[in-house]
Amino acid sequence: MKYNFTDDVRRALAEARNEALRLSHDYVGTEHVLLGLLRLPESRAAGVLEALGATPERVRSAVESMVRKGAAARPGRGPDLPYTSRAKKVLEFAMDDAKRTGAAYVDTEQLLAGLLREEKGIAAQVLNALGVTVDAMRAAVDRIGDGAPAPKAAADASRPVWFLEIDASATAPIYEQIIAGVESAVATARLEPGERLPTVRQLADELGLAPGTVARAYSELERRGVIETAGARGTFVAARSRSAAPATELEGLLRPVAVAAFHLGATADQLRGALERAMKGILRGLL
């Protein structure tokens, strides 16, 4: 089952990047996600925090007492800030919490639960110190119940949520990382033929990138036959033929790998073993 983010969650994540930039940090951590949530006073998460006595003023003061303001942001960095491993884990926990509760979307209370479940993150440490625990939060959610405003579904509710590993500090250009991430997801069946992709604007907003960067990646993916655009219906994973590739084509693909392994000092047995292990991982994703 895949999950959509509500508009409130998308806004919170966008505000998290703004908070990171405000503090001159070159990453988005759990503390920034928490500060982003504070900027949505009408959200369910805000109502839960208020019910538990964790007012925006108290939370913000506690966060800013724990984190130092960074040096000036690097020129040209813009909004392309990577999520820390703990912040990524928060999103995974949020989706898991949505699944646990049977929700078809990730709303702000699931994002708050994710922050609390990532216990080593700064956000969880701040919230715990203010008396906000996972159990207390869930009890507050139950008490608030239907009194909380209904979550607003994302504008494109059919769009699946999936994440690309974008590393702004890597040598590979970001558009190439998007291409590689989509191709890998298709190869391992995490993205299936016919599955709808985010629009250029949606993915750019989600990753904090310039739309032109995503558009360039999509254009190349379409040229390679990985995705296809169906006018106003959007962009989809292209149907792929399951016919066997010619042996010469496979040899051409593997030759650069074998040459690179040779220059690294690998033996033929080591290369064969590495290929077998890689194939096992790929096949697990396909089955």
Side-chain angles (χ1 to χ4, degrees), residues 4-279:
N4 288 320
F5 285 171
T6 62
D7 285 342
D8 277 350
V9 170
R10 296 184 188 284
R11 287 172 53 207
L13 295 177
E15 291 293 351
R17 285 190 173 86
N18 292 335
E19 288 289 346
L21 291 170
R22 182 181 67 82
L23 293 170
S24 297
H25 294 161
D26 58 0
Y27 59 88
V28 175
T30 65
E31 64 272 30
H32 306 118
V33 176
L34 178 56
L35 292 175
L37 271 177
L38 297 181
R39 291 186 174 273
L40 279 70
E42 301 302 319
S43 68
R44 288 188 172 182
V48 169
L49 290 173
E50 286 279 359
L52 296 174
T55 63
E57 295 76 16
R58 293 183 68 196
V59 174
R60 183 174 294 278
S61 176
V63 169
E64 295 185 352
S65 70
M66 290 186 67
V67 298
R68 294 181 179 179
K69 191 168 185 178
R74 283 181 277 177
R77 185 83 185 197
D80 299 345
L81 302 180
Y83 281 81
T84 63
S85 59
R86 295 197 192 286
K88 292 177 183 177
K89 198 67 179 177
V90 164
L91 298 179
E92 292 177 13
F93 281 140
M95 287 186 282
D96 179 69
D97 206 67
K99 180 178 181 180
R100 182 189 64 83
T101 58
Y105 47 76
V106 175
D107 197 18
T108 56
E109 71 253 41
Q110 280 89 30
L111 188 58
L112 179 58
L115 288 168
L116 288 165
R117 288 178 62 185
E118 181 46 66
E119 297 176 348
K120 294 183 179 179
I122 291 176
Q125 295 176 40
V126 165
L127 292 171
N128 289 169
L130 294 174
V132 182
T133 63
V134 173
D135 289 342
M137 184 220 75
R138 287 178 175 158
V141 169
D142 290 340
R143 287 199 304 272
I144 293 172
D146 293 334
K152 182 181 178 183
D156 183 3
S158 66
R159 182 172 65 81
V161 172
W162 50 278
F163 299 95
L164 291 167
E165 294 291 335
I166 301 299
D167 183 358
S169 64
T171 56
I174 289 177
Y175 84 94
E176 290 184 0
Q177 294 182 47
I178 295 174
I179 292 169
V182 172
E183 288 185 324
S184 174
V186 171
T188 56
R190 285 182 290 132
L191 283 175
E192 300 177 351
E195 190 166 348
R196 188 172 184 174
L197 298 178
T199 65
V200 167
R201 173 64 66 179
Q202 287 169 335
L203 187 57
D205 289 346
E206 204 165 283
L207 297 177
L209 302 175
T213 300
V214 178
R216 183 178 180 185
Y218 272 19
S219 178
E220 176 60 20
L221 285 165
E222 191 159 12
R223 187 190 70 80
R224 297 182 186 185
V226 177
I227 64 175
E228 55 188 11
T229 300
R233 291 181 57 235
T235 300
F236 300 82
V237 177
R240 304 300 293 270
S241 172
R242 289 292 183 180
S243 59
T248 54
E249 183 178 340
L250 292 177
E251 289 173 7
L253 290 171
L254 292 174
R255 187 177 298 278
V257 176
V259 171
F262 171 79
H263 286 298
L264 288 173
T267 66
D269 286 341
Q270 288 175 325
L271 176 59
R272 187 178 299 107
L275 287 172
E276 289 176 353
R277 289 191 295 274
M279 282 305 302

